[in-house]
Each structure stands twice: as structure tokens, then as C-alpha cells.
Amino acid sequence: MNNPTEWLEFSERFAVDNEIVGTPARMSDSCAIKFKGKGNRLVIEDGVEFARVTLKFIGDGNTILFRRGSRPSGVFTVGGKGTIEVGERTRMNKPCWFQAIEGRTITIGAECLLADIRVRTSDVHSILSTITGRRLNLARDVAIGERVWIAEKAHVYKGVTIGEGSIIGAHAIVVKAIPPDCLAVGNPARVVKENVTWVRKLLGPEGDPGKIKSAVIHGVTLGAQLLDKARRGRSS
């Protein structure tokens, strides 16, 4: 499918026993959707732009949701009542790969920036205890907060949460939670800088003082007041 008209025709003819709500506002390059089950749901809110998107519904009762103004690109696979949700105005500059299976959820917040990344809720294969025979690597949800920037070829694995405003460096392997407003890099990814933010525009060395959080400004002001008070106390 290459345009919204073809999408509407597909929705009417082939989404048997499944539900498609909404139509992409724009489609660049070819897009595809595959249903292998019933009771699946695809929701496309206003202003969503598809760029080389492939959607795969494996089994019954899965959900994919694209919020208003998002620009998804890549392969989105859901299975076993899995869910993928892409937040408002989140953009993917290069095709990405997402897999939410075993009834787990991938949630991506609003205004994120992603490029050629891989995110999964399951290892697909099983790791078993040789003592009990029980499976050890159970599937877990993945949650990416609002305004997160994940650079190219980073991998985000099951159970990970990435806090609002954080930055994940290129080729990072994220296996543990990353707090908000941090820069994390490496394999495994670790925080190398705190109290950082980012903007899409490339700025000069002076940056943008307007991006300083009010809490930080207040903290600096309070610290200066306490230091001045201490100095006056010593001099009196």
C-alpha cells in the first residue's frame, strides 16, 4: 500500500474479524499489514504519517496504537495479546524494529526521537533452570518515557524503563532502568551524565538557557543565598 486510499480499501476488504480505526494522513514508501488471527485492533489517530511501516498481528487480541501526529517507521510485531503504543509526535528518522509478545506491552511516550533501534519484550527462546526446569527469562513490559532520544542501532530489552528526557547513545545495549534526564551509553548501558536534556535543533556552544529547569534555577539561587548568609555570619 502506498497511499491512504489503498489503505481504506484494504481496511474494508481484508481486515476480517479484526478492527482498524483511522487512516494514515500520509504514507511514504510501501507499507504492509498482516493479520494472522482475529480480535486484533489497530488504532491510527489524526495526523499520523507512515514511512515504510510493516505491521504484524500474530494470534488473537493484539493491539497497536499510534497517537496523534506520530511518524512511525519500521516493523511492529505483536503476539499473544501484546500491545505497542507510540506517543504523540514521536518520530522515527530511520526504520526501527519492535516486538511485543507474550501478552506484554511496549509503551513509547510523546515527542520521542528514535532511529534504527530494536525494542523487545521477550528473548523468544527459553532459558531454564537445570535444577527446577522452570523458565527463568520471563517476558516483561518496556516503557520509554516522554521526550526520550534513542540514537541509531541501540537495543532496548525486556523489563527496561527509560525516564523522561533521557538520551541513549548509539549502539547502546539497555538491560536496566535509566533514570530521567540522563545520558546513557555502552554495553551494558550505564549513566555517564546526569541533569541533561536535548532539543532537535542543533544549537551553538551557548545552548539554550531557557531549557534550564526552574527547580535547578531555584536550587542555585537558594544555595547562593545560604552561602551569602553563612559568610555574613562569619564576618559579624
Side-chain angles (χ1 to χ4, degrees), residues 179-213:
D181 301 323
C182 290
L183 169 62
V185 300
N187 178 11
R190 61 184 182 88
V191 174
V192 295
K193 193 175 290 294
E194 299 177 342
N195 299 317
V196 297
T197 188
W198 64 277
V199 294
R200 297 183 189 230
K201 183 179 180 181
L202 183 61
L203 303 175
E206 71 282 358
D208 182 1
K211 291 297 180 182
I212 299 175
K213 288 190 174 181

Side-chain angles (χ1 to χ4, degrees), residues 103-133:
R104 294 299 179 175
T105 298
I106 295 173
T107 305
I108 303 168
E111 297 184 341
C112 292
L113 183 62
L114 316 173
D116 191 16
I117 70 169
R118 297 177 70 89
V119 183
R120 61 170 66 204
T121 62
S122 170
D123 296 333
V124 181
H125 308 293
S126 300
I127 298 175
L128 308 177
S129 167
T130 58
I131 298 173
T132 66

Side-chain angles (χ1 to χ4, degrees), residues 53-68:
V53 168
T54 298
L55 309 175
K56 299 180 180 180
F57 295 81
I58 302 173
D60 304 336
N62 303 289
T63 301
I64 299 178
L65 170 59
F66 297 111
R67 293 293 187 189
R68 188 184 308 272

